[in-house]
Amino acid sequence: MLSLRQSFHFDENITPEKAHEVMRQLAEAFIGNDYQYVIATHIDQHCIHSHIMMNYIGSDYKKWHDKRQSAKLFQKVSDRICKENSLSILEPELPGRSRVYSKHPTRVYRKVLKNDIDWIIPKVSSWDQFLLELSKQYFVKASGKHISVRHRTNGQKRNIRLYTLDSAYTEAALKQRIGTEAPIIVEHTYSAQLSFAKQLFQTHRFLVKEQITDYESLHQYLNQNHRLQKEIEEDLNTCREKLQELQDISSALKIVDAYQDIADELKWAILKDRFEAAHQKELHAYRTASAFLEQQQINLTTDPNSFKAEQEALTDQLKQLEQRYEAAVNRLHETNQIKQTIDRILQDRFEQKTKGRKQDDR
Protein backbone atom coordinates (compact mmCIF):
# COMPACT_ATOMS: atom_id res chain seq x y z
CA MET A 1 0.00 0.00 0.00
CA LEU A 2 1.18 3.52 -0.85
CA SER A 3 0.23 6.25 1.65
CA LEU A 4 0.14 9.95 0.71
CA ARG A 5 -1.00 12.96 2.71
CA GLN A 6 -2.20 16.50 1.98
CA SER A 7 -2.75 18.93 4.85
CA PHE A 8 -3.96 22.52 5.18
CA HIS A 9 -3.04 25.28 7.60
CA PHE A 10 -5.40 25.53 10.58
CA ASP A 11 -6.28 29.10 9.49
CA GLU A 12 -7.16 27.96 5.95
CA ASN A 13 -10.79 28.74 5.08
CA ILE A 14 -11.73 25.24 3.93
CA THR A 15 -14.47 22.79 4.81
CA PRO A 16 -13.91 19.02 5.23
CA GLU A 17 -15.97 18.43 2.09
CA LYS A 18 -13.78 20.82 0.11
CA ALA A 19 -10.59 19.21 1.45
CA HIS A 20 -11.92 15.79 0.49
CA GLU A 21 -12.80 17.01 -3.02
CA VAL A 22 -9.35 18.58 -3.48
CA MET A 23 -7.72 15.31 -2.48
CA ARG A 24 -9.99 13.43 -4.92
CA GLN A 25 -8.84 15.74 -7.74
CA LEU A 26 -5.24 15.22 -6.67
CA ALA A 27 -5.66 11.45 -6.65
CA GLU A 28 -7.27 11.52 -10.08
CA ALA A 29 -4.47 13.64 -11.51
CA PHE A 30 -1.58 11.82 -9.81
CA ILE A 31 -2.77 8.19 -9.68
CA GLY A 32 -5.32 8.03 -12.49
CA ASN A 33 -7.96 5.35 -12.95
CA ASP A 34 -5.75 2.24 -13.14
CA TYR A 35 -5.19 1.87 -9.38
CA GLN A 36 -7.64 1.50 -6.52
CA TYR A 37 -7.37 4.00 -3.66
CA VAL A 38 -9.21 5.15 -0.56
CA ILE A 39 -9.36 8.76 0.67
CA ALA A 40 -9.80 9.59 4.37
CA THR A 41 -10.22 13.22 5.51
CA HIS A 42 -9.47 13.94 9.18
CA ILE A 43 -11.24 16.75 11.02
CA ASP A 44 -10.37 15.73 14.58
CA GLN A 45 -6.92 17.36 14.59
CA HIS A 46 -5.82 21.00 14.77
CA CYS A 47 -5.70 21.16 10.98
CA ILE A 48 -7.81 19.46 8.31
CA HIS A 49 -5.85 16.89 6.31
CA SER A 50 -6.49 13.96 3.98
CA HIS A 51 -4.79 10.61 3.39
CA ILE A 52 -4.69 8.38 0.33
CA MET A 53 -4.16 4.65 0.72
CA MET A 54 -3.44 3.22 -2.70
CA ASN A 55 -3.26 -0.37 -3.98
CA TYR A 56 0.14 -1.04 -5.54
CA ILE A 57 -1.38 -3.48 -8.06
CA GLY A 58 -3.33 -1.87 -10.90
CA SER A 59 -6.28 -3.08 -12.95
CA ASP A 60 -3.80 -4.42 -15.52
CA TYR A 61 -2.10 -6.47 -12.73
CA LYS A 62 1.03 -4.39 -13.06
CA LYS A 63 2.79 -2.98 -10.01
CA TRP A 64 3.10 0.75 -9.34
CA HIS A 65 6.76 1.80 -9.49
CA ASP A 66 7.52 4.52 -6.95
CA LYS A 67 10.34 6.59 -8.44
CA ARG A 68 12.71 9.03 -6.79
CA GLN A 69 10.87 11.94 -8.44
CA SER A 70 7.43 10.78 -7.26
CA ALA A 71 7.42 12.97 -4.14
CA LYS A 72 8.30 16.11 -6.12
CA LEU A 73 5.73 15.27 -8.77
CA PHE A 74 3.06 14.77 -6.09
CA GLN A 75 4.04 18.13 -4.60
CA LYS A 76 3.77 19.92 -7.96
CA VAL A 77 0.38 18.39 -8.76
CA SER A 78 -0.86 19.25 -5.27
CA ASP A 79 0.28 22.88 -5.62
CA ARG A 80 -1.40 23.20 -9.02
CA ILE A 81 -4.73 21.84 -7.78
CA CYS A 82 -4.62 24.00 -4.63
CA LYS A 83 -4.06 27.11 -6.75
CA GLU A 84 -6.96 26.12 -9.01
CA ASN A 85 -9.15 25.91 -5.90
CA SER A 86 -7.87 29.26 -4.50
CA LEU A 87 -6.02 27.59 -1.62
CA SER A 88 -2.63 28.57 -0.20
CA ILE A 89 0.56 26.55 -0.75
CA LEU A 90 4.01 26.47 0.85
CA GLU A 91 6.53 28.58 -1.03
CA PRO A 92 10.35 28.14 -0.87
CA GLU A 93 11.95 30.85 1.26
CA LEU A 94 14.77 31.41 -1.24
CA PRO A 95 15.11 30.55 -4.95
CA GLY A 96 16.79 27.21 -5.47
CA ARG A 97 16.28 26.14 -1.85
CA SER A 98 14.08 23.33 -0.65
CA ARG A 99 10.77 24.45 0.78
CA VAL A 100 10.69 24.80 4.55
CA TYR A 101 7.82 23.01 6.25
CA SER A 102 8.72 24.21 9.75
CA LYS A 103 10.17 27.51 10.87
CA HIS A 104 11.25 26.08 14.22
CA PRO A 105 14.98 25.46 14.86
CA THR A 106 16.38 22.07 13.96
CA ARG A 107 15.77 19.55 16.71
CA VAL A 108 18.90 18.61 18.66
CA TYR A 109 17.77 15.14 19.69
CA ARG A 110 21.19 13.51 19.29
CA LYS A 111 22.98 16.07 21.44
CA VAL A 112 20.22 15.83 24.05
CA LEU A 113 20.66 12.05 24.10
CA LYS A 114 24.42 12.37 24.47
CA ASN A 115 23.97 14.84 27.33
CA ASP A 116 21.55 12.54 29.12
CA ILE A 117 23.83 9.52 28.72
CA ASP A 118 26.82 11.49 30.01
CA TRP A 119 24.68 12.60 32.96
CA ILE A 120 23.56 9.05 33.80
CA ILE A 121 26.92 7.25 33.53
CA PRO A 122 28.58 8.67 36.69
CA LYS A 123 25.47 7.74 38.72
CA VAL A 124 25.31 4.02 37.84
CA SER A 125 27.56 1.04 38.51
CA SER A 126 26.16 -1.62 36.18
CA TRP A 127 24.80 -1.99 32.66
CA ASP A 128 21.32 -3.00 33.85
CA GLN A 129 21.17 0.03 36.12
CA PHE A 130 22.19 2.26 33.21
CA LEU A 131 19.35 0.90 31.04
CA LEU A 132 16.91 1.36 33.92
CA GLU A 133 17.90 5.02 34.42
CA LEU A 134 17.81 5.66 30.68
CA SER A 135 14.31 4.18 30.43
CA LYS A 136 12.99 6.83 32.84
CA GLN A 137 13.40 9.45 30.09
CA TYR A 138 13.44 7.27 26.96
CA PHE A 139 11.66 4.32 25.41
CA VAL A 140 14.55 1.82 25.28
CA LYS A 141 14.68 -1.11 22.86
CA ALA A 142 17.58 -3.33 23.93
CA SER A 143 16.36 -6.71 22.71
CA GLY A 144 17.81 -6.54 19.19
CA LYS A 145 21.33 -6.38 17.83
CA HIS A 146 21.64 -2.64 18.54
CA ILE A 147 20.19 -0.52 21.34
CA SER A 148 17.79 2.17 20.11
CA VAL A 149 15.98 4.82 22.14
CA ARG A 150 13.28 7.48 21.70
CA HIS A 151 12.64 10.34 24.14
CA ARG A 152 9.32 10.20 25.95
CA THR A 153 8.39 13.91 25.92
CA ASN A 154 10.58 16.14 23.72
CA GLY A 155 8.87 15.35 20.41
CA GLN A 156 11.42 12.87 19.03
CA LYS A 157 9.58 10.71 16.46
CA ARG A 158 12.14 8.14 15.39
CA ASN A 159 14.39 5.83 17.38
CA ILE A 160 18.10 6.61 17.54
CA ARG A 161 20.62 3.79 17.65
CA LEU A 162 23.26 4.56 20.26
CA TYR A 163 26.19 3.38 18.13
CA THR A 164 25.36 6.06 15.51
CA LEU A 165 25.99 8.86 18.01
CA ASP A 166 29.73 8.49 18.34
CA SER A 167 32.40 5.90 19.05
CA ALA A 168 32.06 6.78 22.75
CA TYR A 169 28.41 5.67 22.77
CA THR A 170 28.62 2.13 21.41
CA GLU A 171 27.53 -0.61 23.81
CA ALA A 172 31.14 -1.71 24.40
CA ALA A 173 32.31 1.87 24.99
CA LEU A 174 29.43 2.63 27.36
CA LYS A 175 30.10 -0.52 29.39
CA GLN A 176 33.72 0.58 29.64
CA ARG A 177 32.70 4.03 30.91
CA ILE A 178 30.15 2.83 33.47
CA GLY A 179 31.32 2.98 37.06
CA THR A 180 34.88 4.22 36.55
CA GLU A 181 34.12 6.75 33.77
CA ALA A 182 37.20 5.42 32.02
CA PRO A 183 37.82 7.11 28.66
CA ILE A 184 37.52 5.17 25.42
CA ILE A 185 40.75 3.60 24.27
CA VAL A 186 41.67 5.07 20.89
CA GLU A 187 44.44 4.24 18.46
CA HIS A 188 47.36 6.66 18.68
CA THR A 189 47.49 7.37 14.97
CA TYR A 190 48.81 10.66 13.61
CA SER A 191 45.30 11.93 12.83
CA ALA A 192 44.10 10.88 16.28
CA GLN A 193 46.98 12.79 17.90
CA LEU A 194 46.13 15.91 15.88
CA SER A 195 42.47 15.60 16.88
CA PHE A 196 43.41 15.22 20.53
CA ALA A 197 45.74 18.24 20.33
CA LYS A 198 42.82 20.27 18.97
CA GLN A 199 40.68 19.07 21.88
CA LEU A 200 43.39 20.17 24.32
CA PHE A 201 43.40 23.72 22.91
CA GLN A 202 39.59 23.86 23.04
CA THR A 203 39.61 22.56 26.60
CA HIS A 204 42.12 25.18 27.71
CA ARG A 205 40.14 28.02 26.12
CA PHE A 206 36.92 26.74 27.71
CA LEU A 207 38.39 26.43 31.22
CA VAL A 208 39.91 29.92 31.05
CA LYS A 209 36.71 31.47 29.66
CA GLU A 210 34.46 29.88 32.30
CA GLN A 211 37.07 30.38 35.08
CA ILE A 212 37.07 26.68 36.01
CA THR A 213 40.18 25.82 38.04
CA ASP A 214 39.49 22.33 39.45
CA TYR A 215 37.57 19.14 38.75
CA GLU A 216 34.90 19.86 41.37
CA SER A 217 34.13 23.23 39.74
CA LEU A 218 33.68 21.44 36.40
CA HIS A 219 31.18 19.04 38.00
CA GLN A 220 29.25 21.98 39.48
CA TYR A 221 29.22 23.70 36.08
CA LEU A 222 27.90 20.51 34.47
CA ASN A 223 25.16 20.13 37.10
CA GLN A 224 24.10 23.75 36.70
CA ASN A 225 23.84 23.50 32.90
CA HIS A 226 22.02 20.17 33.09
CA ARG A 227 19.40 21.66 35.43
CA LEU A 228 19.05 24.67 33.11
CA GLN A 229 18.49 22.43 30.08
CA LYS A 230 15.80 20.44 31.92
CA GLU A 231 14.05 23.60 33.15
CA ILE A 232 13.91 25.05 29.65
CA GLU A 233 12.71 21.69 28.30
CA GLU A 234 9.82 21.67 30.81
CA ASP A 235 8.87 25.26 29.87
CA LEU A 236 9.08 24.27 26.20
CA ASN A 237 6.74 21.29 26.62
CA THR A 238 4.29 23.40 28.65
CA CYS A 239 4.26 26.11 25.97
CA ARG A 240 3.69 23.53 23.21
CA GLU A 241 0.81 21.98 25.12
CA LYS A 242 -0.85 25.38 25.65
CA LEU A 243 -0.44 26.33 22.00
CA GLN A 244 -1.81 22.97 20.83
CA GLU A 245 -4.78 23.37 23.19
CA LEU A 246 -5.58 26.83 21.79
CA GLN A 247 -5.29 25.53 18.23
CA ASP A 248 -7.65 22.65 19.05
CA ILE A 249 -10.13 25.06 20.65
CA SER A 250 -10.03 27.41 17.65
CA SER A 251 -10.51 24.52 15.23
CA ALA A 252 -13.42 23.16 17.28
CA LEU A 253 -15.08 26.59 17.38
CA LYS A 254 -14.76 26.88 13.59
CA ILE A 255 -16.38 23.47 13.14
CA VAL A 256 -19.25 24.38 15.49
CA ASP A 257 -19.74 27.69 13.67
CA ALA A 258 -19.72 25.95 10.27
CA TYR A 259 -22.30 23.29 11.21
CA GLN A 260 -24.47 25.14 13.73
CA ASP A 261 -27.23 25.66 11.17
CA ILE A 262 -27.37 21.94 10.39
CA ALA A 263 -27.54 21.11 14.10
CA ASP A 264 -30.39 23.60 14.52
CA GLU A 265 -32.24 22.18 11.51
CA LEU A 266 -32.09 18.71 13.05
CA LYS A 267 -34.12 19.91 16.03
CA TRP A 268 -37.05 20.90 13.77
CA ALA A 269 -36.70 18.18 11.13
CA ILE A 270 -39.79 16.00 10.75
CA LEU A 271 -37.86 12.96 9.48
CA LYS A 272 -34.96 13.17 11.89
CA ASP A 273 -33.44 9.82 10.96
CA ARG A 274 -33.38 10.70 7.28
CA PHE A 275 -32.00 14.19 7.95
CA GLU A 276 -29.29 12.80 10.23
CA ALA A 277 -28.30 10.16 7.69
CA ALA A 278 -27.97 12.85 5.00
CA HIS A 279 -25.74 15.01 7.25
CA GLN A 280 -23.94 12.28 9.16
CA LYS A 281 -20.41 13.66 8.70
CA GLU A 282 -21.35 17.24 9.58
CA LEU A 283 -23.31 16.25 12.68
CA HIS A 284 -20.57 13.91 13.87
CA ALA A 285 -17.99 16.68 13.51
CA TYR A 286 -20.31 19.14 15.28
CA ARG A 287 -20.96 16.81 18.21
CA THR A 288 -17.30 15.90 18.60
CA ALA A 289 -16.26 19.57 18.57
CA SER A 290 -19.09 20.54 20.95
CA ALA A 291 -18.16 17.81 23.44
CA PHE A 292 -14.53 18.94 23.35
CA LEU A 293 -15.48 22.60 23.95
CA GLU A 294 -17.77 21.66 26.82
CA GLN A 295 -14.96 19.66 28.35
CA GLN A 296 -12.73 22.74 28.05
CA GLN A 297 -15.55 24.90 29.49
CA ILE A 298 -15.65 27.08 26.34
CA ASN A 299 -18.91 28.68 25.24
CA LEU A 300 -19.97 27.39 21.80
CA THR A 301 -20.72 30.94 20.63
CA THR A 302 -17.17 32.17 21.32
CA ASP A 303 -15.48 33.84 18.37
CA PRO A 304 -12.74 31.50 17.00
CA ASN A 305 -10.50 34.52 16.33
CA SER A 306 -10.64 35.60 19.99
CA PHE A 307 -7.68 33.32 20.72
CA LYS A 308 -5.56 34.58 17.82
CA ALA A 309 -3.57 37.15 19.84
CA GLU A 310 -2.82 34.59 22.55
CA GLN A 311 -1.77 32.06 19.90
CA GLU A 312 0.62 34.55 18.31
CA ALA A 313 2.12 35.40 21.72
CA LEU A 314 2.61 31.72 22.52
CA THR A 315 4.15 31.11 19.08
CA ASP A 316 6.70 33.88 19.71
CA GLN A 317 7.39 32.50 23.18
CA LEU A 318 7.84 29.02 21.72
CA LYS A 319 10.43 30.26 19.20
CA GLN A 320 12.40 32.00 21.96
CA LEU A 321 12.29 28.90 24.17
CA GLU A 322 13.45 26.68 21.31
CA GLN A 323 16.41 28.99 20.68
CA ARG A 324 17.29 29.00 24.40
CA TYR A 325 16.90 25.23 24.56
CA GLU A 326 19.17 24.64 21.57
CA ALA A 327 21.80 26.96 23.08
CA ALA A 328 21.58 25.15 26.45
CA VAL A 329 21.91 21.74 24.78
CA ASN A 330 24.94 22.85 22.78
CA ARG A 331 26.57 24.39 25.86
CA LEU A 332 26.04 21.22 27.92
CA HIS A 333 27.29 19.06 25.03
CA GLU A 334 30.46 21.16 24.80
CA THR A 335 31.01 20.85 28.55
CA ASN A 336 30.61 17.07 28.42
CA GLN A 337 33.19 16.93 25.62
CA ILE A 338 35.57 18.98 27.77
CA LYS A 339 35.05 16.62 30.70
CA GLN A 340 35.77 13.58 28.52
CA THR A 341 39.04 15.18 27.37
CA ILE A 342 40.08 15.91 30.96
CA ASP A 343 39.13 12.37 32.01
CA ARG A 344 41.32 11.00 29.25
CA ILE A 345 44.27 13.13 30.40
CA LEU A 346 43.83 12.00 33.99
CA GLN A 347 43.53 8.37 32.91
CA ASP A 348 46.70 8.61 30.79
CA ARG A 349 48.58 10.09 33.74
CA PHE A 350 47.29 7.35 36.04
CA GLU A 351 48.37 4.65 33.59
CA GLN A 352 51.83 6.22 33.22
CA LYS A 353 52.29 6.34 37.00
CA THR A 354 51.10 2.75 37.36
CA LYS A 355 53.45 1.65 34.59
CA GLY A 356 56.37 3.53 36.25
CA ARG A 357 55.72 1.89 39.62
CA LYS A 358 55.70 -1.58 38.05
CA GLN A 359 59.08 -0.87 36.42
CA ASP A 360 60.51 0.38 39.75
CA ASP A 361 59.29 -2.77 41.50
CA ARG A 362 61.17 -4.87 38.99
Side-chain angles (χ1 to χ4, degrees):
M1 299 291 285
L2 175 67
S3 178
L4 301 170
R5 171 175 168 169
Q6 182 185 48
S7 60
F8 302 92
H9 195 272
F10 64 87
D11 280 338
E12 186 76 73
N13 184 22
I14 186 172
T15 63
E17 293 79 10
K18 182 68 172 178
H20 195 81
E21 172 60 21
V22 169
M23 189 55 136
R24 188 197 63 78
Q25 295 176 18
L26 176 57
E28 186 178 328
F30 182 72
I31 299 174
N33 300 320
D34 293 333
Y35 295 88
Q36 297 173 329
Y37 57 83
V38 176
I39 300 175
T41 301
H42 288 187
I43 60 174
D44 57 343
Q45 301 295 326
H46 69 280
C47 65
I48 295 176
H49 62 277
S50 300
H51 297 267
I52 293 179
M53 295 298 291
M54 168 190 156
N55 190 349
Y56 263 115
I57 307 301
S59 57
D60 56 357
Y61 299 102
K62 292 184 179 179
K63 186 178 179 181
W64 170 280
H65 292 287
D66 193 18
K67 300 178 181 178
R68 185 176 295 179
Q69 298 83 7
S70 295
K72 290 186 177 180
L73 178 60
F74 182 80
Q75 167 192 310
K76 290 180 179 179
V77 176
S78 175
D79 288 350
R80 175 176 62 79
I81 292 176
C82 284
K83 288 179 180 179
E84 292 174 355
N85 287 271
S86 302
L87 297 171
S88 60
I89 63 171
L90 288 171
E91 296 288 353
E93 292 193 341
L94 293 173
R97 295 284 184 89
S98 299
R99 61 181 58 206
V100 179
Y101 286 89
S102 173
K103 294 184 181 298
H104 297 310
T106 304
R107 307 298 184 211
V108 284
Y109 299 133
R110 290 179 174 272
K111 287 185 179 179
V112 172
L113 177 55
K114 283 184 178 182
N115 291 342
D116 289 337
I117 290 175
D118 293 334
W119 175 257
I120 291 173
I121 282 179
K123 303 179 183 300
V124 299
S125 57
S126 69
W127 178 249
D128 290 339
Q129 192 178 358
F130 167 76
L131 294 178
L132 180 62
E133 288 296 320
L134 189 63
S135 65
K136 292 179 180 179
Q137 301 180 61
Y138 292 83
F139 297 103
V140 180
K141 182 181 178 182
S143 58
K145 183 178 179 180
H146 301 290
I147 298 172
S148 60
V149 300
R150 177 168 57 86
H151 201 282
R152 294 179 180 271
T153 60
N154 72 355
Q156 180 185 334
K157 300 295 183 184
R158 296 184 177 182
N159 289 353
I160 297 176
R161 292 182 175 181
L162 296 189
Y163 80 91
T164 64
L165 295 174
D166 194 340
S167 60
Y169 298 90
T170 63
E171 183 174 345
L174 290 172
K175 287 180 177 179
Q176 187 181 8
R177 293 171 60 189
I178 287 174
T180 60
E181 292 187 86
I184 307 304
I185 304 300
V186 296
E187 295 182 6
H188 294 285
T189 60
Y190 180 69
S191 59
Q193 292 176 12
L194 286 178
S195 177
F196 186 60
K198 181 180 179 181
Q199 293 174 18
L200 290 176
F201 282 115
Q202 292 174 344
T203 300
H204 180 265
R205 283 201 304 267
F206 177 87
L207 296 176
V208 172
K209 178 183 176 182
E210 302 299 334
Q211 298 180 352
I212 297 175
T213 56
D214 53 58
Y215 201 73
E216 181 62 28
S217 299
L218 180 61
H219 267 288
Q220 292 177 359
Y221 187 88
L222 266 170
N223 294 339
Q224 178 183 353
N225 280 278
H226 189 268
R227 286 195 298 269
L228 178 62
Q229 177 189 312
K230 293 303 177 183
E231 289 172 2
I232 299 175
E233 185 176 336
E234 290 178 3
D235 293 340
L236 194 58
N237 289 333
T238 302
C239 185
R240 283 176 181 151
E241 290 173 2
K242 289 182 179 178
L243 183 58
Q244 184 64 56
E245 183 179 329
L246 286 180
Q247 290 173 346
D248 291 341
I249 290 173
S250 297
S251 297
L253 287 170
K254 290 178 181 178
I255 291 172
V256 168
D257 182 61
Y259 300 138
Q260 185 65 58
D261 292 341
I262 297 176
D264 292 339
E265 286 182 39
L266 177 62
K267 297 177 182 178
W268 307 105
I270 298 175
L271 300 175
K272 292 185 182 297
D273 292 343
R274 184 177 297 179
F275 183 87
E276 185 157 355
H279 300 86
Q280 184 178 359
K281 293 182 180 179
E282 296 89 339
L283 290 170
H284 174 73
Y286 176 85
R287 287 164 182 163
T288 303
S290 299
F292 172 74
L293 292 171
E294 289 175 3
Q295 185 181 6
Q296 299 294 323
Q297 298 181 346
I298 303 294
N299 194 314
L300 300 185
T301 60
T302 304
D303 183 5
N305 295 321
S306 60
F307 298 96
K308 192 171 183 179
E310 190 175 355
Q311 281 181 300
E312 291 176 351
L314 280 173
T315 301
D316 292 339
Q317 182 183 352
L318 181 62
K319 291 179 180 178
Q320 294 175 7
L321 284 171
E322 285 183 326
Q323 291 173 355
R324 288 180 56 202
Y325 181 64
E326 186 173 3
V329 169
N330 290 334
R331 184 164 54 249
L332 184 58
H333 178 68
E334 180 185 10
T335 310
N336 280 320
Q337 297 287 67
I338 296 300
K339 182 179 179 299
Q340 288 182 28
T341 301
I342 293 176
D343 287 342
R344 178 179 170 183
I345 295 171
L346 295 175
Q347 182 68 16
D348 287 344
R349 289 182 179 178
F350 175 78
E351 290 176 355
Q352 289 175 3
K353 287 183 180 180
T354 304
K355 185 176 181 182
R357 288 172 183 171
K358 288 182 179 179
Q359 291 177 349
D360 292 341
D361 292 341
R362 291 176 184 175

